[in-house]
Amino acid sequence: MRTAAVVGTGLIGTSIALALTRHGVTVYLADADVSAARTAAALGAGLVGGPPVPADIAVLAVPPARVGAVLAEQQRRRLARSYTDVASVKGGPEREVAAAGADAAVFIGGHPMAGRERSGPLAACATLFEERTWVLSPSARTGRDTLNRALELVALCGAVPVLMDSEAHDRAVAVVSHAPHVVAALMAARLQHLSPDAVRLAGQGVRDVTRIADGDVRLWSDILESNATAVADVLEEVAGDLVGTVAALRALAGEDTGARAGGTARLADLLSRGVAGRGAIAGKHKTPDLTCVPVRIRIGDQPGELARLLGTASELGINIEDMSIDHTPDKPSGLVELMVSPTAALGMAQRLKDCGWRVQRVADHSGPRAPSRRTGPAARRDRTGARTAA
C-alpha cells in the first residue's frame, strides 16, 4: 500500500491516517469541516485534498447512515480503487450501499474495535488500534483485491482482523458496546440534579460506570438508530433483571423473613453472574488476567493537558493498557493513572519526568512481589468506544 484516502478526520479517521503515515503511506484527507482536516494534517496525518490518481484504498470515517451516500459520491469521483468504512454497525450500511447504487465489489465493511470517550482529531493517536480487534464484513459481492487491501490496512494499523457476518456483528456490538453506552447514560442521568455535597462523594466507581456516557450525542443517536432492534433486545433482558433486582431489594427492606431470604438469594445470583460475565472479557493480549501496574501523573486543570500527556506517551512509544482519571472539580489539578506492564513502569515514569511531567513515585515491581491487576482496553470504546467506537 502506497496511498490511502481518509474521508472524515475525527478521532478514528485521523488515528488511522496517523498509523498509515508512520509506515510511509501517503494519506489524503477530506472532511466536510475543512478545519478538522487541516488540524489532522497539522498533526502529521496526511495532506488535505484528493489524490492525483485513485488511492489504493479509501477509509470512510463517517456516521453509519452516511456510508452508502458517501461511498457512491466518492466512487463517482474515483477517489480510490477499494473502499471500507469504520461505522460501528454493519447491516444498515451494507443495505444503504446497495440502495445508493454504489459498486459493492470494491467495498468491504469494517469496524475497528477501539476508541475513546473524547472525539475529534486532537484526540487521535497512531497507536489506537494496536492489538485491537478490527472486524471486516465482506458482502457476497466483495472482491478479493478489496479484501486484501483491507487486510493490509488493518495490519498497518497494528490491529487483529476478524471476518464476521454483518448481522452477527451487529448483534454482538449491541451487547459489548451499544447497550452499555445506554446503561451508562441512564446511570449518569441520575447524577445531574445531585447537590454539590453529594457530588463531592463521587469516586472512581461511579466515574468508571458513567465514563462512556460522555460521548457525542449526535453520533450515538445515529448509532443506536442504526442498530435499534439488536440494542432493544439486549436492554429488554437488562430490564427484566432490573425488575427482579428491585423486587429483591424491596423484599430485603420488608419484615417477611422468607421474602428477605429470597431477596438475598436473587441479589447473590445477579452479582455472581456479573462476576462471571466480567471474567469472560479477555484482556487486550487475550489473557483473562492481564497484569499491570499504575503510573500516576498529576496534571493541571487547563484545557488540553490530558491530550498533551497522551501525546507525550505516544511519542515515547509507551503502550498503555488502561487509563483512569481522578479529578475533583474544586481542585486545580487531576490525577491520571496509566496502567502499563511492570517492566515498563519505572522506565516510563523516568521518561515522563524528563519531559517535565509530575510523576508520583512508582514502586519497583521487577521482583517476586505481585503487582496490582487491571484488565480492559485503554479508554474507549467505542471499541469502541469507542470501546465507541463506538
Side-chain angles (χ1 to χ4, degrees):
M1 185 178 297
R2 296 187 178 184
T3 59
V6 172
V7 180
T9 51
L11 165 66
I12 300 299
T14 303
S15 294
I16 291 172
L18 289 170
L20 293 178
T21 56
R22 287 206 313 174
H23 290 281
V25 178
T26 301
V27 181
Y28 297 89
L29 307 169
D31 198 299
D33 181 355
V34 179
S35 65
R38 289 173 178 164
T39 299
L43 295 171
L47 307 170
V48 178
V53 296
D56 293 324
I57 194 168
V59 179
L60 309 181
V62 298
R66 294 280 299 146
V67 170
V70 172
L71 174 64
E73 176 187 358
Q74 297 303 331
Q75 285 184 344
R76 286 193 295 270
R77 296 179 176 179
R78 295 181 55 80
L79 178 65
R81 294 190 289 162
S82 295
Y83 300 81
T84 187
D85 74 319
V86 294
S88 62
V89 292
K90 299 270 64 82
E94 189 175 286
R95 292 187 291 271
E96 291 298 323
V97 166
D103 183 2
V106 293
F107 173 76
I108 182 170
H111 181 199
M113 302 297 293
R116 305 167 96 166
E117 69 273 17
R118 296 182 300 123
S119 59
L122 289 175
C125 176
T127 59
L128 183 65
F129 311 103
E130 288 186 356
E131 300 183 51
R132 306 293 186 187
T133 300
W134 192 312
V135 177
L136 293 174
S137 297
S139 70
R141 295 185 57 195
T142 300
R144 179 176 295 178
D145 287 344
T146 292
L147 172 59
N148 287 338
R149 290 184 187 117
L151 288 169
E152 185 176 0
L153 169 73
V154 173
L156 289 172
C157 290
V160 180
V162 174
L163 297 182
M164 201 171 189
D165 171 78
S166 58
E167 298 301 330
H169 165 275
D170 290 355
R171 290 192 298 270
V173 294
V175 178
V176 303
S177 176
H178 302 165
H181 192 95
V182 175
V183 173
L186 289 170
M187 193 61 239
R190 311 276 75 78
L191 308 176
Q192 60 181 330
H193 300 303
L194 285 182
S195 68
D197 285 341
V199 169
R200 290 192 183 95
L201 302 180
Q204 198 57 47
V206 71
R207 295 175 195 273
D208 288 344
V209 169
T210 60
R211 176 180 58 78
I212 59 173
D214 189 22
D216 185 283
V217 173
R218 288 182 298 176
L219 174 62
W220 272 99
S221 295
D222 186 77
I223 290 170
L224 294 174
E225 181 179 349
S226 300
N227 203 21
T229 298
V231 176
D233 290 343
V234 176
L235 292 177
E236 192 168 46
E237 294 179 0
V238 173
D241 274 345
L242 283 175
V243 169
T245 302
V246 170
L249 292 170
R250 296 296 184 198
L252 288 173
E255 300 297 331
D256 188 315
T257 302
R260 286 172 60 86
T264 299
R266 293 185 72 170
L267 284 180
D269 174 67
L270 171 67
L271 295 174
S272 296
R273 287 189 286 127
V275 171
R278 174 65 181 168
I281 302 175
K284 177 179 171 184
H285 300 288
K286 310 300 180 187
T287 57
D289 289 316
L290 184 60
T291 302
C292 299
V293 298
V295 175
R296 299 182 179 91
I297 305 98
R298 181 70 62 180
I299 66 171
D301 199 27
Q302 60 267 37
E305 274 293 271
L306 180 59
R308 194 166 68 87
L309 171 61
L310 295 175
T312 302
S314 176
E315 291 169 5
L316 295 175
I318 296 169
N319 193 30
I320 300 169
E321 306 291 349
D322 203 350
M323 180 181 78
S324 64
I325 306 167
D326 189 2
H327 177 227
T328 304
D330 58 352
K331 299 293 184 183
S333 64
L335 187 65
V336 178
E337 183 179 86
L338 304 178
M339 304 299 295
V340 299
S341 69
T343 55
L346 288 173
M348 169 185 173
Q350 186 56 55
R351 294 167 75 189
L352 288 175
K353 286 180 181 178
D354 292 342
C355 291
W357 292 99
R358 292 181 290 167
V359 182
Q360 292 189 352
R361 183 177 180 274
V362 179
D364 185 355
H365 293 281
S366 58
R369 180 177 175 270
S372 60
R373 295 188 304 178
R374 275 181 74 174
T375 60
R380 28 170 177 215
R381 250 179 224 132
D382 167 61
R383 178 163 166 173
T384 151
R387 102 269 332 290
T388 313

